Every structure is written in structure tokens, then in C-alpha cells.
Amino acid sequence: MFDLLLKGGICLTPSGRAELDVGISGGRITALGALDSGQAKAVFDAKGLHVLPGVIDPQCHFREPGLTHKEDLGSGSASAAMGGVTTFFEMPNTHPNTDSAEQLAWKVARAKETSWTDFGFFIGATNENADTLGSLETLEGCAGIKMFCGSSTGTLLVDKPENQRRVMKSGHRRIACHSEDEARLQERKGLFAGRGVDAHPEWRDEECAVKSTRGLMTLARETNRRLHVLHVTTAGEVPLLAANKDLITFEVCPQHLTLAAPECYERLGSLAQMNPPIRDARHQAALWEAIRLGLVDVLGSDHAPHTLEEKQKPWPASPSGMPGVQTLVPLMLDHVKAGRLTLERFVDLTSAGPARVFGMRRKGRLVPGYDADFTLVDLQARRTITNEWSRSKCGWTPFDGMQVTGWPMATLVRGNIVMRDGALQGTACGQPVQFDV
Ligand code: DOR
């Protein structure tokens, strides 16, 4: 007897696409094939839908503790579930920073109470904890270490190569890096006085990212440490990353694939401001080419909400970051519809990719024995992304008014239906992801 049967959907399995029924028991996939509805306590009619392995968003800022006027683990994970995301990894630049066992345990306990989806948390590297990270990275619910090499929102920063080297020598899991060169950021900060937000990508320019990534590659090789470069934005970094694939994985964000300068700054002002910045069409084309070639390992939203009031401050006082966990799936399905990537490549980037990069157990594949996490999508549905649809506490999305083809119709987390037809369902049931550590 199955707890739930997904009937008649087109499943994206490692062997390809096929119309298969999915039998779910005890939160796991237990059978795939032509299955009898009589053998199930409940049946979900998935006819006309594509059943994807649950989408994993490995870069979210959910702001709890300390910044809960922008977001919290409940609202952020609700936004994830609404957008078809079944697991998120959350970033350590909260108040206080997640830089100790105590702070990690606090987040894990809080998320067990309030999260709609499964989760993992990054521990922030600091100059102070650099030598002890090896014992922190294996704790329950830890997705790994995050190192801010250039300053962004918050106070986390490890900018000196000697300290970055200490971080890389401590522990063994893949380190997620925000790669912008702090010295260059500080040197050039004063050059744009009187300018508006359109200067953001000039200040935090291509060389800023390339210089930092080049330095990281050198240190990774010296210490033989695996790194993951978050939100890659420049044409110049792609060949560097490609030449170091034995040690380096990397992420691209949907907003860098969808928005481009100068148009985004003219239309959206500081709502388009984030770090590293949205750049011009040349960089966007290089990122698409990296996706096409199979170089990009994962997509991440870098969901980084700030209130509209905060965003209205004049640049550079306006904070960097935009929400994105809820729009990742619709935006990328629209790109699938436009022929920019295949649905299979999308699955590789959002399920199999993150599971491989971060060593997640039982996640990322539609296979018996794996967790029953699914993103059910209608590839033909034409919908408009709106601020009203957004469940993020910040209440806005840079994609308000954009019409897309392809939409998440249901989100299942270990067999629990948490979103169906645009409404949350059931209760918050999230659990920490288990990792190979
Ligand atoms: O734009 C950004 N916002 N980039 C980051 O690295 C941090 C994030 C935030 O937390 O606001």
C-alpha cells in the first residue's frame, strides 16, 4: 500500500522522460512504473504535468535571526514552496552571523519548527573561526562553509589571502565563496560620487570578480581544497573556472540570465542592485554559453530580500539583493520554452547538480529509495509573475508584470503536498538535509 501515488505525469528520471506513476511510502519513492491506484491511500492526478525531482535552491538569505522585518525562515520557506522549491540552503549573514555551533543549532531548531521545505545552513567563515571550521562543517544541518571574499550585506569577510588559506586548510568539504576582490572594491568606491545605481556594475567591475576568482583558484590548488563559486557573473571568469573543473564547481543565478544592464537599472533602479551586479549583454551571453557547454553546476536564486523602503535609499546606501526563490522555476521554465536550455539541463542544474556538488543524501534524483521531493510543473501554463503572488515578507519581485510560459503547480516534500495550485497546503514539515561529510 502506497501513502500516495502520483498518477500519469511525465517523469524526468536519470534515464530520460517517461510517463510513469510514482509510488510513495514513508516519505520515499518506493516504486516507478504503471501502478494501480487501488494500492494507494491517496492519488494525485498528475496528467498533463511534468514531474521533476524537487528543485533545490542552494543560495537563499532568509534573514532570521535578527533581520526578520525582511524575511524569516517561515516566510522564506513558504515563498520557496510556492515557487516549486523543495529544499533551500541558507546563508550565514544574519544577526548574529551563523559562525558557531550554537548559532547553527539555533537555526536548525527554528527551521524544524517553521520551515515548509527541507533545508541546510552555511556556516560563515571569519578570521576568528578559520582554524576551527573543520569541526563545524560536519554538524547536523550544515550545508558547508561560506566565505565572503568581498564585503556585501552584513559583516562577514575573509579578504586576505593568508586568512583564506587558513579557511581552506581547515576541514575538507567544498567551500562556497562569494568572489569579489575587497581591495579593489575599496580602492574604487570613491570614484562614482554623484552617480546613480547604474554605476553599480562599474564599481564592482569584471576585474573585481576575475581578480578574486583567480586568487581563489591559486589557493584551491595549493591547498587541494574543493571550492564552489557562487553567483558567477562575468565572461572573464568562465575560462578560469573551466580550466579548474577538477576542484571548482560554480553557480549562476536566474536574474543574471534574465536581466541585463543598462536596461535593468533604467527600469528597476536599485531593485536591480545586487552583488555581484547584473551586467551587460556580453556577460549574459557568456553565462548562457557556459550553461550550454555544461560548465555550470547549479542554479541558485541568491534570494536576498530587502524592504522597498530600504531599497529607496539613494545609491550606494541602497542595500544590494533581491528576492528570487519563488521566481527561479517560472523564469527558468520560460527560458526552457524559449529554447535556451532543455528541461533535462534544468533538472541537472536544480536537482542532480546541487546534490552532487554538496554531497546530499537521497536528494536530487527521481529514483526508488530517494526522498519523495517533487516539483510538478505545467510547461504550457501562461502566467504573470506579480508582487501579489510573492510570499516573501519583502512583498516585491523585480519580475513583477513579466509574463512567462511554464509554472510550478505543486510542491511535494518527502511525500507531503506543501503547495498545490498556488496555495500552501498542510503544515510546515521541513527537516535538515543529510550530507556525506
Ligand atoms: O546582493 C547581495 N545581497 N549579495 C550578497 O552577497 C548578499 C546579499 C544579501 O544578503 O543581501
Side-chain angles (χ1 to χ4, degrees):
M1 202 64 174
F2 300 117
D3 296 336
L4 179 65
L5 188 64
L6 298 185
K7 191 82 188 149
I10 313 274
C11 293
L12 275 279
T13 77
S15 306
R17 282 184 210 208
E19 186 178 324
L20 295 168
D21 306 325
V22 186
I24 299 161
S25 305
R28 307 259 172 88
I29 301 168
T30 49
L32 275 179
L35 305 172
D36 180 3
S37 298
Q39 292 178 342
K41 291 181 204 157
V43 177
F44 186 118
D45 180 7
K47 200 109 206 122
L49 302 180
H50 283 71
V51 182
L52 316 182
V55 168
I56 298 159
D57 186 343
Q59 196 191 168
C60 293
H61 301 262
F62 284 169
R63 311 297 193 199
E64 188 174 2
L67 301 160
T68 52
H69 65 288
K70 301 176 198 264
E71 197 75 285
D72 59 40
L73 289 162
S75 61
S77 64
S79 186
M82 286 288 288
V85 169
T86 58
T87 297
F88 66 84
F89 294 166
E90 208 266 346
M91 287 297 166
N93 57 336
T94 43
H95 275 316
N97 291 321
T98 318
D99 58 3
S100 66
E102 293 69 33
Q103 291 305 329
L104 173 71
W106 189 91
K107 277 193 178 177
V108 171
R110 181 76 179 147
K112 280 181 181 171
E113 288 168 3
T114 63
S115 180
W116 288 85
T117 71
D118 283 355
F119 52 83
F121 293 102
F122 284 101
I123 298 242
T126 66
N127 294 335
E128 290 71 39
N129 72 9
D131 304 315
T132 62
L133 292 168
S135 63
L136 298 175
E137 68 175 5
T138 54
L139 295 171
E140 185 198 26
C142 183
I145 302 303
K146 157 87 180 266
M147 179 159 70
F148 280 91
C149 304
S151 51
S152 189
T153 304
T155 54
L156 286 169
L157 181 65
V158 182
D159 59 331
K160 303 277 183 295
E162 59 271 26
N163 289 325
Q164 294 173 353
R165 183 182 290 109
R166 284 169 61 215
V167 171
M168 289 187 206
K169 284 186 164 174
S170 179
H172 63 278
R173 291 179 71 187
R174 194 178 285 284
I175 302 171
C177 302
H178 179 120
S179 186
E180 291 185 282
D181 185 76
E182 181 66 10
R184 188 171 170 89
L185 282 180
Q186 295 308 332
E187 271 161 36
R188 292 162 48 81
K189 209 173 184 171
L191 298 181
F192 304 95
R195 289 279 304 276
V197 68
D198 61 309
H200 198 64
E202 291 177 51
W203 170 38
R204 305 181 84 109
D205 67 351
E206 177 174 22
E207 180 54 20
C208 194
V210 170
K211 192 175 168 210
S212 169
T213 296
R214 196 183 294 122
L216 285 174
M217 302 294 104
T218 306
L219 286 176
R221 207 144 281 295
E222 180 194 316
T223 56
N224 196 33
R225 187 69 188 259
R226 292 170 302 148
L227 303 183
H228 177 68
V229 183
L230 297 158
H231 42 39
V232 169
T233 58
T234 69
E237 285 167 284
V238 173
L240 271 176
L241 294 160
N244 289 280
K245 283 305 277 183
D246 53 336
L247 286 175
I248 312 298
T249 54
F250 70 102
E251 173 193 81
V252 165
C253 301
Q255 57 271 45
H256 292 112
L257 295 167
T258 308
L259 302 172
E263 188 275 337
C264 68
Y265 298 106
E266 287 159 12
R267 186 165 53 86
L268 296 166
S270 65
L271 298 187
Q273 178 189 334
M274 67 170 291
N275 304 328
I278 312 275
R279 305 185 190 279
D280 65 22
R282 177 176 73 87
H283 293 289
Q284 190 183 81
L287 299 180
W288 275 114
E289 179 63 1
I291 291 211
R292 197 188 64 78
L293 289 171
L295 287 168
V296 181
D297 296 277
V298 303
L299 292 173
S301 73
D302 192 7
H303 178 88
H306 299 284
T307 65
L308 280 176
E309 200 185 349
E310 291 164 336
K311 276 291 202 181
Q312 270 154 15
K313 290 182 191 164
W315 185 86
S318 44
S320 293
M322 59 181 76
V325 70
Q326 196 170 330
T327 47
L328 184 153
V329 172
L331 286 179
M332 294 309 299
L333 291 182
D334 194 60
H335 287 307
V336 168
K337 175 72 179 177
R340 297 189 187 98
L341 77 169
T342 62
L343 191 60
E344 285 76 4
R345 184 76 180 104
F346 174 74
V347 168
D348 182 55
L349 288 163
T350 55
S351 305
R356 174 175 55 80
V357 165
F358 296 103
M360 301 166 76
R361 293 193 183 164
R362 290 191 315 271
K363 298 240 184 252
R365 284 161 92 84
L366 209 167
V367 169
Y370 275 60
D371 285 354
D373 296 344
F374 306 103
T375 305
L376 274 67
V377 300
D378 181 344
L379 295 180
Q380 307 307 330
R382 279 170 72 87
R383 298 285 172 89
T384 303
I385 294 172
T386 60
N387 290 338
E388 293 69 40
W389 173 66
S390 165
R391 270 299 299 250
S392 168
K393 248 190 210 181
C394 75
W396 61 275
T397 157
F399 303 103
D400 180 52
M402 181 174 169
Q403 198 179 68
V404 294
T405 303
W407 199 257
M409 306 306 287
T411 308
L412 275 74
V413 177
R414 283 172 290 95
N416 302 293
I417 304 169
V418 294
M419 184 279 282
R420 190 166 187 176
D421 297 331
L424 292 176
Q425 199 174 300
T427 51
C429 64
Q431 287 295 320
V433 171
Q434 292 176 306
F435 296 94
D436 295 329
V437 291

